[in-house]
Each structure stands twice: as structure tokens, then as C-alpha cells.
């Protein structure tokens, strides 16, 4: 251990030595709370903007997919690369402080990229997505506000990833929940105005969102500079090093490819359903919202699993890392499969939350009954993706996501070409989830974390030929 290395922290020791299943459950709880709170921020904002009328709601709907892409890229993809680098450095007893400055530089770079891309290309993008008239104008107002402050979103998610990489899930959870408590009154105040505060309309929702990320970023940085933080980062005098950038980016950029593939799969499924009319699109979109909700739920298990696997791999505890991955996979499968089966058995209980049009209900029911029973495989693939981020070996999980995309697109296209019905398109989406989960699990069982992939074999056999990570 180098002289600048931090001493073994109790949180690091917890990840290396404590019983795996109880530790994952305990660390997952605040993380699930974070994701539910962040989902609540979006729901609150959408509700209040909806009071401005249909055009304002349509404006938000145009911008929402792009905002979600930025969120998923900054929190899940690049955030996973940051957390993985921190965890592996701590597990190896190396100085992880310099990684914080490199993570912030990456966040600034990507934040500025998103700002430039959407401020310059937003009008053409939203018009291509079907925006026109008042809805397009509102989308540009909202988008210009949000993406002018894209750096704040990236800083918040990157700082949260730094802290999660140390095994601390509670601080990001507490900051997020506190932010939600503040934004609930702040959002309507800025949208509608009150007293000396002028009404900003749809721009007020964006301004409230940016204030949420600004306050959260300051709170997370304050924690990192406090005596309670395991890391002691500094910005002055830090010498930027390409190997540290590379360690983060090799995981984060692959994760970004996976994020794009996920969103493209859903976009293709929407287009395929569109061949059967607007009701089919509405039914699929409404039913598939459940899949979107599974992502933060699985992330609740995936973030602590990432920290545990990364710390164990950095410390040379590869057998424990593999054991943790399979425990996490079993937990994720159980939770997502129960939800999927419930949705397949009682589809109307979910669909009626969003509407009661008979044609929409019929299409949504077909989707949930075809795909819901296979949600467990989606949970397995996604949680092993997070575990692979921790291991620093993400190629095969990304290939698994691309395989899902190919099966979903090709299967749906063949269903249409051969005169199949809407349910056959949905069966292809279910088969894609099955391929996704089985592909990633088989690759990891076959040694994806330790070199060349072969037939699934025992952990002991894998470790005998393990390459350095």
C-alpha cells in the first residue's frame, strides 16, 4: 500500500467481509429510495406543467426522451464508470482521491456537449419528432432552459456516483429526498408565480429542476469535503492523467452504448406497434411504463452490487465478487419476476391507472401477458450489467443489450412480414428480454470477467485462469 493510500475504512471492510445477501439488501434500500424520489421529481413537474394545458404537456413529452437519455447516460453509464473506478481503487488500497477530479472534468465535458447539441439542434430534433406550433415552441423553451444547465445534471450524478463508489448509499439518498421536499413547492411557485415571484410558465418547471440539481451538487460536494467522507478530494494542484480518464471512460462509454441500445429497443417496439394503429401505440406505451419503473428498482440492487464487486475485484477477492453477482442476480430475478407475473395476471390494475379506452386496454393486456412473465430475465441482465461495471468488464453485457435490440427488431419485423398480429410483435419483445438475460448470465458464467469466454464452468475453474483486472 502506498503512503498516500487511505486506511481500510469500515465501509470498505463491510463490502469485503460482511455476509453478502444481508449487506446487499441493507445497502439497496436507500438506493431504491433515491430512484423513487427522482421519479417523483419528474411526476411532480409533469403534473404542474399539465395544469398549463395540452400544448404544455405535449411540449414536455417531446423533450422527455432526451432528458431521460441524459439522465441514464450520466447516472447509469458514466456514473457506473466513475463508481467502478472508485470502488476498485479502494479495494486495491490505492489513492482514489485523484479520480474525483477526473470524474468532474468528464462531467463538465459531457454536460457542455449536451448543452451545445440541444441548444443548436433542438429545433430540428423536436420538429422531426412531430412537434409543431405551440407544442414545438413550448418544447424549445423548456429544452433551452434544461440543457443550458446540463452541466448541473452531470455534476450531480457524477458526485453521487463518486460517493456510491465508496459503498455509501445513504448520503446520495438523503440529498435526493431533501431535494424532492424542496422542489414540490418550488415547482408550482416558479410555474404559476405568487406574490413578488413572476409566473414563468413551462420555463418555471425547468428552472425548478435546475435549482434542484444545483442545490444537490453543492450538498454532495460539501459532504465530500467534510470529515465524514472517506475520500478527501482536492481540485487545486491536481495533475490530470490519461490512465485515470481511461479507467472511467472505458466503462462509461460502453455503458452509453448500452443505454442507447435500450432506448432504441423501446423506440423500435413503438414503431412496430404503430402498424396496428394509435390504440396499439397507446397500449404498448402505457404497459411498457412498467418496464421503465423496473430500471430504478433494479438499480437499487445494482449500485451496491457494483460497489461490492468493484471493491472485491480491486482487493483480489474474485471468488467473493462472483458470489455477490449471483446473489444479486437471484434477488433481481425474484423481484422483477413477481412484478411481471402480477402484471400478466392482473393487467387492468396497472393499465387503468392511465386510461380506460377499451382498445388501449386490449393492446396493453396483450403486451403484459406476452412480456410480463419474462421480466425476471430483464432483471437478471440489468443487475449483472451493473455488477460487470464493478468488475471493469462491460463488453459482454453491452453485446447482450445489442442482442436484445436485434431480436426485438428482427422478430417484430418478421412478425409483420409474415402477417402476424400485434401479440406476435409483443412475443418478439419478450423473446428479446429472454435473450438479454440468458446471454449476459451465460457470458459471466463462462468467464467474461476473467478473459476469454467459454462454456459455463465453476468459479474455481474460472479463477485458475483469471487475468488481472
Amino acid at each position: 500500500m502506498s503512503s498516500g493510500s487511505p486506511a481500510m475504512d469500515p465501509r470498505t471492510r463491510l463490502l469485503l467481509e460482511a455476509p453478502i445477501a444481508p449487506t446487499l439488501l441493507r445497502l439497496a434500500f436507500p438506493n431504491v429510495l433515491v430512484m423513487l424520489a427522482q421519479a417523483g421529481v419528474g411526476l411532480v413537474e409533469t403534473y404542474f406543467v399539465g395544469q398549463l394545458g395540452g400544448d404544455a404537456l405535449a411540449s414536455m413529452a417531446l423533450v422527455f426522451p432526451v432528458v431521460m437519455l441524459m439522465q441514464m447516460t450520466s447516472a447509469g453509464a458514466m456514473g457506473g464508470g466513475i463508481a467502478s473506478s472508485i470502488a476498485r481503487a479502494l479495494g486495491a488500497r490505492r489513492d482514489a482521491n485523484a479520480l474525483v477530479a477526473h470524474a468532474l472534468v468528464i462531467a463538465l465535458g459531457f454536460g457542455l456537449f449536451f448543452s451545445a447539441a440541444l441548444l443548436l439542434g433542438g429545433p430540428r430534433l423536436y420538429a422531426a419528432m412531430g412537434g409543431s406550433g405551440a407544442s414545438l415552441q413550448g418544447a424549445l423553451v423548456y429544452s433551452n432552459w434544461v440543457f443550458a444547465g446540463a452541466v448541473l445534471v452531470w455534476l450531480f450524478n457524477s458526485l453521487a456516483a463518486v460517493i456510491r463508489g465508496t459503498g455509501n448509499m445513504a448520503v446520495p439518498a438523503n440529498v435526493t429526498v431533501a431535494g424532492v421536499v424542496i422542489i414540490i413547492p418550488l415547482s408550482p411557485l416558479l410555474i404559476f408565480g405568487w406574490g413578488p415571484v413572476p409566473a414563468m410558465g413551462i420555463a418555471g418547471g425547468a428552472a425548478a429542476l435546475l435549482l434542484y440539481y444545483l442545490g444537490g451538487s453543492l450538498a454532495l460536494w460539501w459532504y465530500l469535503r467534510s470529515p465524514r467522507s472517506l475520500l478527501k478530494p482536492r481540485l487545486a494542484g491536481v495533475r490530470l492523467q490519461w490512465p485515470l480518464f481511461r479507467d472511467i471512460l472505458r466503462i462509461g462509454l460502453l455503458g452509453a452504448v448500452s443505454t442507447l441500445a435500450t432506448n432504441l429497443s423501446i423506440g423500435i417496439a413503438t414503431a412496430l406497434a404503430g402498424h396496428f394503429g394509435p390504440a396499439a401505440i397507446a397500449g404498448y406505451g402505457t404497459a411498457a411504463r412498467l418496464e421503465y419503473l423496473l430500471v430504478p428498482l433494479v438499480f437499487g440492487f445494482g449500485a451496491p452490487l457494483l460497489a461490492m464487486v468493484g471493491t472485491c475485484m480491486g482487493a483480489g477477492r474474485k471468488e467473493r465478487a462472483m458470489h455477490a453477482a449471483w446473489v444479486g442476480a437471484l434477488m433481481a430475478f425474484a423481484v422483477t419476476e413477481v412484478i411481471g407475473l402480477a402484471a400478466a395476471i392482473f393487467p387492468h390494475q396497472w393499465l387503468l391507472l392511465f386510461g380506460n379506452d377499451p382498445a388501449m386496454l386490449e393492446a396493453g393486456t396483450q403486451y403484459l401477458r406476452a412480456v410480463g412473465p419474462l421480466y425476471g430475465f430483464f432483471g437478471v441482465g440489468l443487475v449483472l450489467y451493473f455488477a460487470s461495471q464493478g468488475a471493469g468488464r462491460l463488453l459482454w453485457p453491452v453485446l447482450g443489450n445489442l442482442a436484445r435490440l436485434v431480436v426485438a427488431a428482427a422478430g417484430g419485423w418478421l412478425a409483420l412480414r409474415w402477417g402476424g398480429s400485434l401479440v406476435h410483435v409483443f412475443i418478439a419483445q419478450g423473446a428479446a428480454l429472454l435473450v438479454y438475460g440468458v446471454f449476459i448470465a451465460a457470458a459471466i458464467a463462462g468467464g467474461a470477467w476473467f478473459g476469454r469466454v467459454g462454456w459455463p464452468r465453476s468459479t474455481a475453474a474460472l479463477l485458475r485462469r483469471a487475468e488481472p483486472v
Side-chain angles (χ1 to χ4, degrees):
M1 183 178 67
S2 66
S3 59
S5 302
M8 177 71 77
D9 181 77
R11 280 163 294 192
T12 305
R13 185 174 292 110
L14 178 76
L15 297 175
L16 289 173
E17 298 175 2
I20 290 173
T23 302
L24 283 179
L25 288 173
R26 182 161 63 85
L27 294 177
F29 177 76
N31 228 40
V32 171
L33 194 63
V34 166
M35 300 310 297
L36 291 176
Q38 286 188 329
V41 169
L43 291 174
V44 166
E45 186 187 22
T46 302
Y47 172 79
F48 287 120
V49 168
Q51 307 307 303
L52 298 174
D55 285 334
L57 203 57
S59 298
M60 278 198 68
L62 287 169
V63 183
F64 178 75
V66 190
V67 174
M68 282 301 298
L69 177 63
M70 180 171 66
Q71 283 275 25
M72 294 173 69
T73 305
S74 60
M78 203 60 64
I82 293 167
S84 172
S85 294
I86 296 288
R88 285 183 283 111
L90 291 174
R93 311 292 292 276
R94 297 195 307 268
D95 185 4
N97 291 310
L99 285 165
V100 179
H102 290 72
L104 294 180
V105 170
I106 290 171
L108 288 170
F110 276 96
L112 291 173
F113 170 79
F114 269 86
S115 290
L118 272 300
L119 290 174
L120 296 175
R124 181 173 297 180
L125 173 64
Y126 300 129
M129 293 171 66
S132 62
S135 65
L136 177 58
Q137 185 60 37
L140 290 175
V141 171
Y142 184 80
S143 176
N144 288 344
W145 270 83
V146 168
F147 287 103
V151 165
L152 296 176
V153 179
W154 275 86
L155 285 176
F156 177 89
N157 286 324
S158 297
L159 289 170
V162 165
I163 296 171
R164 283 197 300 268
T166 69
N168 187 332
M169 309 295 152
V171 166
N174 292 337
V175 170
T176 301
V177 172
V180 173
V181 172
I182 294 172
I183 202 174
I184 288 175
L186 182 63
S187 188
L189 174 65
L190 297 180
I191 291 171
F192 304 112
W194 185 73
V197 180
M200 298 176 64
I202 193 171
L209 192 66
L210 293 180
L211 288 172
Y212 162 80
Y213 282 112
L214 173 61
S217 298
L218 292 174
L220 293 173
W221 179 249
W222 174 82
Y223 170 80
L224 283 169
R225 299 290 293 172
S226 74
R228 294 182 297 148
S229 173
L230 171 60
L231 298 175
K232 307 298 179 187
R234 68 184 191 280
L235 300 181
V238 173
R239 185 169 60 88
L240 299 179
Q241 305 172 55
W242 169 243
L244 297 184
F245 281 123
R246 183 179 59 203
D247 195 56
I248 295 172
L249 291 172
R250 70 185 180 90
I251 303 300
L253 291 178
L254 275 176
V257 172
S258 190
T259 297
L260 287 170
T262 297
N263 284 277
L264 190 56
S265 294
I266 294 172
I268 288 174
T270 303
L272 291 170
H275 285 81
F276 297 90
I281 294 178
Y284 167 72
T286 302
R289 288 188 189 188
L290 186 59
E291 183 179 331
Y292 270 118
L293 288 180
L294 292 181
V295 174
L297 181 62
V298 176
F299 183 82
F301 293 95
L305 182 60
L306 183 158
M308 180 175 286
V309 169
T311 304
C312 291
M313 294 290 273
R317 301 281 300 278
K318 296 180 174 63
E319 187 169 2
R320 179 177 169 85
M322 286 288 290
H323 186 194
W326 297 126
V327 170
L330 182 61
M331 289 179 177
F333 178 85
V335 172
T336 53
E337 185 66 12
V338 166
I339 293 173
L341 290 175
I345 297 170
F346 307 107
H348 282 196
Q349 276 65 24
W350 170 258
L351 298 169
L352 286 171
L353 294 174
F354 305 97
N356 56 9
D357 177 74
M360 181 276 286
L361 292 175
E362 175 61 24
T365 296
Q366 290 182 17
Y367 172 83
L368 289 174
R369 287 181 174 164
V371 181
L374 297 168
Y375 271 171
F377 294 95
F378 174 71
V380 167
L382 186 58
V383 84
L384 290 178
Y385 162 83
F386 289 121
S388 297
Q389 282 185 316
R393 298 298 176 95
L394 202 56
L395 174 61
W396 284 92
V398 172
L399 292 177
N401 216 336
L402 293 175
R404 172 193 174 184
L405 173 62
V406 170
V407 171
W413 179 79
L414 288 174
L416 293 178
R417 184 175 177 84
W418 293 341
S421 63
L422 180 61
V423 71
H424 295 107
V425 172
F426 292 154
I427 288 173
Q429 310 311 306
L433 293 186
L434 175 65
V435 168
Y436 173 65
V438 171
F439 184 100
I440 296 175
I444 292 174
W449 289 0
F450 307 111
R452 185 169 51 85
V453 174
W455 289 104
R457 62 200 73 189
S458 69
T459 301
L462 293 176
L463 296 179
R464 281 196 294 271
R465 65 178 184 85
E467 297 176 356
V469 176

